[in-house]
């Protein structure tokens, strides 16, 4: 395989499976051979049994759907604001000079610290959780999109301008397609973070999703259940990441064929 190339289909499946098997073996050995209490670190078998119990309950799937919906709505809201803002920063120097000093400052504020303010401003329920998710995904989408736009090939842009492209035509057919890999990378990372935002929002502001389940399991010392819930959250984040990665991969293949 050439350096920097994508792994083949077989390698892409076998390598993660081998790593997962090794990690499960180490996990089992750590619990079986050390005698650690199950409430501190349950074994893989106990987690699997608890997972079967939870997944058999309709409420688990309903809560999973709530968290996924909150994360999706927050991601879309963040992207709707971040993408035009990134293009304005790239296109207008005055706007860039005015906005950029404050963007870094917004990331110094922990997401959990914003939750009480959002409750005061928006109230409880779906809206503040979606707002928190949007705030978490905004910055990675913005930064990646601006980076992609700033590194466009100037020769291509100059050639397009000579052909009469400008304004919306330039953005729609030249700049945004060329910056698409960076934009999609930002969306991929941002949408993954939105799951974290949804869980933090539910744990701090209340909610009927998996964040509330984690809080209940912590109070009940249901460590195996917490492992299962965290695993479900990882799968949700991986699903968002994988979906956008497939779109990105499809665009790359289409570009190679054209």
């Amino acid at each position: 395989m050439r350096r920097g190339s994508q792994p083949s289909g077989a390698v892409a499946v076998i390598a993660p499976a081998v790593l997962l098997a090794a990690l499960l073996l180490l996990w089992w050995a750590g619990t079986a051979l050390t005698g650690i209490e199950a409430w501190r670190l349950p074994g893989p078998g106990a987690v699997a049994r608890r997972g079967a119990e939870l997944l058999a309950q309709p409420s688990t799937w309903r809560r999973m759907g709530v968290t996924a919906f909150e994360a999706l709505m927050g991601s879309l809201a963040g992207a709707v604001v971040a993408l035009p803002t990134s293009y304005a920063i790239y296109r207008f120097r005055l706007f860039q000079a005015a906005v950029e000093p404050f963007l870094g400052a917004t990331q110094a504020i922990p997401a959990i610290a914003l939750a009480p303010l959002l409750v005061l401003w928006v109230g409880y329920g779906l809206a503040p959780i979606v707002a928190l998710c949007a705030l978490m995904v905004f910055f990675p989408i913005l930064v990646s999109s601006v980076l992609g736009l700033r590194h466009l090939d100037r020769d291509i842009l100059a050639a397009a301008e000579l052909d009469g492209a400008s304004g919306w035509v330039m953005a729609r057919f030249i700049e945004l397609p060329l910056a698409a890999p960076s934009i999609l990378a930002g969306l991929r990372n941002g949408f993954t973070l939105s799951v974290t935002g949804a869980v933090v929002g539910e744990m701090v502001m209340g909610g009927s999703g998996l964040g509330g389940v984690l809080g209940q399991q912590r109070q009940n010392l249901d460590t195996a259940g917490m492992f299962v819930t965290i695993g479900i959250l990882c799968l949700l984040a991986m699903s968002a990441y994988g979906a956008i990665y497939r779109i990105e991969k499809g665009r790359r293949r289409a570009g190679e064929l054209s």
Side-chain angles (χ1 to χ4, degrees), residues 223-242:
T223 313
M226 292 177 69
F227 269 75
V228 174
T229 304
I230 292 171
I232 293 173
L233 291 170
C234 288
L235 289 175
L236 287 177
M238 290 169 59
S239 298
Y241 187 96

Side-chain angles (χ1 to χ4, degrees), residues 19-180:
L19 178 59
L20 178 61
L23 293 175
L24 288 173
L25 181 61
L26 288 173
W27 180 10
W28 172 84
T31 55
L33 303 179
T34 62
I36 189 171
E37 299 94 333
W39 65 270
R40 292 184 184 273
L41 181 63
V47 173
R49 289 190 294 272
R50 183 64 175 135
E53 293 174 1
L54 290 174
L55 292 176
Q57 301 174 7
S59 60
T60 301
W61 295 94
R62 184 172 61 253
R63 289 175 178 271
M64 190 189 313
V66 170
T67 299
F69 180 76
E70 292 166 347
L72 178 61
M73 292 297 101
S75 298
L76 293 176
V80 164
V81 178
L83 292 177
T85 304
S86 64
Y87 189 79
I89 290 174
Y90 157 73
R91 175 60 70 179
F92 306 110
R93 290 185 178 180
L94 181 59
F95 184 77
Q96 171 189 339
V99 170
E100 277 197 331
F102 299 99
L103 293 177
T106 61
Q107 294 308 294
I109 305 173
I112 195 170
L114 294 173
L117 287 175
L118 291 174
V119 170
L120 292 175
W121 294 338
V122 186
Y124 290 94
L126 177 65
I129 297 175
V130 170
L132 184 62
C133 292
L135 289 172
M136 290 191 69
V137 308
F138 172 81
F139 194 72
I141 296 175
L142 178 77
V143 170
S144 185
S145 300
V146 170
L147 187 64
L149 288 166
R150 284 178 175 171
H151 286 80
L152 296 179
D153 191 323
R154 298 298 167 184
D155 293 335
I156 296 177
L157 297 180
E161 289 176 353
L162 287 175
D163 288 338
S166 62
W168 169 245
V169 174
M170 175 71 84
R172 169 67 178 83
F173 294 101
I174 306 296
E175 293 170 331
L176 294 180
L178 289 176

